[in-house]
Amino acid sequence: MAGLTAAALAVVGFLAYQASANVPDSLGAPKAPSPAPSAQASGSPKNESKDPLAVPAHSGTGVRVVYALGDRRVWLVGKQSTPRTFEVMPSTVNPQPGTYTVTSRSGNVPGSDGVPIEHVVRFAKVGGVSIGFSAAVNGSMASPDPNKKTGGVRMKRADGDAMWVFAAIGSKVVVVP
């Protein structure tokens, strides 16, 4: 019985991976940008708060994942009083700043760099490269090979576990500079 269950899970995982590779580009496309609140003075920091771990200003409201490209940091902003935040290792291909939604998820798959990864949460596609958060099974957060086009935003396994629980399909992801 356990063998049948394992085989069924493997087939479902493989089919989910294949389906995610064929998701139309339009599903991960950013929504039309909303008007900018007010112009900032040039030279002002990206994160206007004095606390470098505070959720970036102008990252929206409500429950969301916030990914700050320049800070290499993610915030899981929910109903709790203090959002969870952690460092990430960006991929070689990055999404444009904007608002996205989680389009697909995979439990365990090989990464585009060949490293086994888990808890993949995909939210964008850039030039045919799927962009998503993931954790390497071996726990590494090595810099990606700059000669390869990869879309995996790597995080520690504990952070990957938290992302997996937090970001279901349809969840909002806000990318800020």
Side-chain angles (χ1 to χ4, degrees):
M1 188 61 110
L4 287 173
T5 302
L9 287 173
V11 168
V12 168
F14 176 75
L15 292 174
Y17 174 73
Q18 280 189 322
S20 71
N22 295 313
V23 173
D25 288 345
S26 62
L27 284 179
K31 296 176 183 172
S34 56
S38 62
Q40 294 180 348
S42 63
S44 64
K46 289 178 205 150
N47 189 344
E48 294 175 0
S49 171
K50 293 182 192 242
D51 180 359
L53 300 181
V55 178
H58 310 298
S59 66
T61 59
V63 177
R64 66 200 183 281
V65 175
V66 177
Y67 175 29
L69 297 169
D71 292 335
R72 296 181 169 196
R73 182 167 287 281
V74 166
W75 290 261
L76 304 179
V77 183
K79 296 176 182 158
Q80 73 279 15
S81 60
T82 305
R84 178 182 178 123
T85 185
F86 47 88
E87 292 181 334
V88 295
M89 177 56 66
S91 55
T92 60
V93 178
N94 291 307
Q96 291 295 313
T99 302
Y100 301 83
T101 58
V102 173
T103 56
S104 68
R105 297 168 19 119
S106 297
N108 291 319
V109 296
S112 54
D113 58 0
V115 173
I117 56 175
E118 64 184 0
H119 297 149
V120 181
V121 176
R122 294 177 202 85
F123 62 93
K125 202 165 203 177
V126 176
V129 176
S130 292
I131 310 295
F133 302 109
S134 64
V137 173
N138 68 8
S140 73
M141 284 182 47
S143 295
D145 180 345
N147 298 315
K148 293 184 179 180
K149 289 186 175 183
T150 61
V153 180
R154 294 284 167 82
M155 57 194 65
K156 294 178 183 169
R157 288 187 82 186
D159 298 327
D161 292 345
M163 176 70 75
W164 184 255
V165 170
F166 187 86
I169 290 178
S171 295
K172 182 168 44 169
V173 178
V174 179
V175 178
V176 297

